Amino acid sequence: MKKNNVFNKVVFTLLASFLLLGTIFVGSATPAQAAKADKDKLTINVADNGGGSILSIIKEKGWLEAEFKKYNATVTWSEFPSGPPILEAFAAKRVDFTFLGDGAALQGQAAGLKFKNIALISDGKGISKILIPTDSKIKSVKDLKGKTIAVAKGTTFHVFLLKALIKNGLKESDVKLVNLQLADGLPAFVSGKVDAWVTPEPYVTQLISAKTAKLLPGLDTTIPAPSALIARSSIIKSHPELVTAFLEVYKEAIAWRDDNLEEAAQLVADKKKYPIEIIKILNNSFNYTLTPITKEAIDAQQKTVNLLYDAKFLKKKVKYSDSIDNSFINKVLK
């Protein structure tokens, strides 16, 4: 009996030792292992173009961080007033995912930046408007000849203006462009320093309601201006799972927004420090979708390439379809 007790004690001690060792080697990491894990952790840079978008909701909800954590990746966020500054950050490798309007996307492609358009989020129709003062004598696009126009160069608003001018027999050199981001365009327009301003909502409704501005008569606002989500080519190649995860989160965010319009508007209003009514106007002006990049969008973009090249805005004529990768969005939508 004594021998059995001794034997049992020895066995118990050995088992306890093995369990302890298992805990040390399996359940805990050494300082070197922890350091290696941190070193292997990937940081993904996401840029919000203008703020107030679906990406703003994703950021505030922390959904991308939660999803990327599964792949040992962290997220850093930045916000830019428009596409052209994003291109500069992209060239400096400080942006991996974002969305771009037609002007910036084509400018980036022509400059040789390595990215792919991975999903269409809007056809862009109706986003851009041209405002003139309520007492302006301008009666048509043709009357813009010789006038001073505020617009953020390189943006979808700039491209819209070029298309509107060309459609009415004018070219960019027929007008005087003042390169102003939206935040700077507003005071310039209100103070009368420019004759017209190319802008989106909520400025349009705000200024028209205040009887400070009116829409330029006879303007075709249905000109397509596709906006797409983009991803850095190196991320697509080395971490395709993150591209899929990014699109999955974006898809779910659209669905959440559609089911929670009031909460979504309030969330963005709090972030931007705008009245919720303004955010609602902004949301209603932008049709949030998520689809593969369509033939219609490709054709519209290629026409824009030709237009911008002829206007000497693009230094190189590119083939827009070369910058498209629909494989990830097709997988997500399946």
Side-chain angles (χ1 to χ4, degrees):
M1 183 68 73
K2 245 182 186 181
K3 285 183 180 179
N4 285 342
N5 285 339
V6 172
F7 177 76
N8 288 340
K9 283 181 181 178
V10 171
V11 170
F12 178 79
T13 302
L14 286 171
L15 283 173
S17 299
F18 281 125
L19 286 172
L20 180 60
L21 286 171
T23 301
I24 291 172
F25 287 112
V26 179
S28 302
T30 64
Q33 289 171 324
K36 185 178 184 304
D38 286 339
K39 186 179 179 182
D40 291 342
K41 189 173 285 187
L42 184 67
T43 299
I44 298 296
N45 303 295
V46 183
D48 193 357
N49 188 345
S53 67
I54 292 295
L55 287 181
S56 298
I57 294 173
I58 292 172
K59 178 186 176 183
E60 294 305 306
K61 289 290 188 179
W63 290 331
L64 201 57
E65 287 84 348
E67 186 64 24
F68 276 16
K69 189 175 181 181
K70 301 174 186 177
Y71 304 98
N72 197 34
T74 59
V75 182
T76 62
W77 289 88
S78 55
E79 186 176 315
F80 295 85
S82 63
I86 289 180
L87 295 180
E88 295 176 18
F90 194 94
K93 297 186 178 179
R94 291 188 286 112
V95 176
D96 298 308
F97 290 102
T98 188
F99 73 87
L100 294 174
D102 51 355
L106 296 175
Q107 190 179 357
Q109 186 182 354
L113 297 182
K114 303 299 182 183
F115 65 80
K116 292 291 185 181
N117 294 270
I118 57 172
L120 187 69
I121 59 173
S122 172
D123 60 15
K125 294 177 181 178
I127 291 176
S128 300
K129 305 285 198 312
I130 300 179
L131 292 179
I132 55 175
T134 50
D135 59 354
S136 175
K137 299 294 189 285
I138 298 173
K139 295 181 179 179
S140 68
V141 175
K142 291 182 179 180
D143 290 338
L144 291 175
K145 187 172 183 177
K147 303 299 182 184
T148 302
I149 306 172
V151 66
K153 282 191 175 183
T155 64
T156 191
F157 315 118
H158 183 201
V159 175
F160 173 81
L161 174 62
L162 287 178
K163 289 180 178 178
L165 291 173
I166 289 170
K167 190 173 182 179
N168 288 272
L170 299 175
K171 50 188 182 295
E172 188 176 53
S173 59
D174 290 324
V175 299
K176 301 170 186 175
L177 292 190
V178 181
N179 183 19
L180 295 173
Q181 294 293 337
L182 293 175
D184 301 315
L186 177 61
F189 178 79
V190 172
S191 63
K193 292 181 179 177
V194 295
D195 300 305
W197 183 30
V198 190
T199 185
E201 294 289 6
Y203 303 106
V204 175
T205 298
Q206 279 182 295
L207 294 178
I208 291 177
S209 298
K211 302 189 184 309
T212 304
K214 61 184 178 181
L215 287 174
L216 176 66
L219 183 67
D220 180 10
T221 59
T222 63
I223 297 172
S227 292
L229 294 173
I230 71 163
R232 183 179 292 279
S233 297
S234 59
I235 296 296
I236 291 175
K237 183 177 179 181
S238 61
H239 296 281
E241 71 281 1
L242 293 181
V243 182
T244 302
F246 176 76
L247 290 173
E248 288 281 7
V249 170
Y250 198 95
K251 181 182 75 169
E252 291 168 9
I254 291 179
W256 179 87
R257 172 196 173 270
D258 292 345
D259 291 338
N260 303 273
L261 292 175
E262 193 75 22
E263 184 181 347
Q266 189 64 62
L267 185 150
V268 176
D270 292 342
K271 175 184 181 296
K272 300 290 288 184
K273 308 302 181 189
Y274 287 162
I276 190 170
E277 292 75 18
I278 297 298
I279 300 302
K280 287 180 178 179
I281 292 169
L282 184 62
N283 286 344
N284 290 336
S285 72
F286 198 91
N287 181 28
Y288 293 104
T289 60
L290 187 66
T291 69
I293 297 171
T294 62
K295 184 180 183 304
E296 180 186 11
I298 294 171
D299 292 343
Q301 287 290 67
Q302 197 57 49
K303 287 179 181 177
T304 301
V305 167
N306 299 335
L307 180 153
L308 295 179
Y309 181 75
D310 292 342
K312 295 181 171 46
F313 183 76
L314 292 183
K315 295 180 181 178
K316 177 183 177 183
K317 187 177 280 191
V318 296
K319 188 177 180 182
Y320 176 66
S321 57
D322 289 344
S323 71
I324 294 171
D325 187 344
N326 276 331
S327 63
F328 293 97
I329 187 62
N330 285 331
K331 178 182 177 181
V332 167
L333 295 180
K334 265 183 182 178

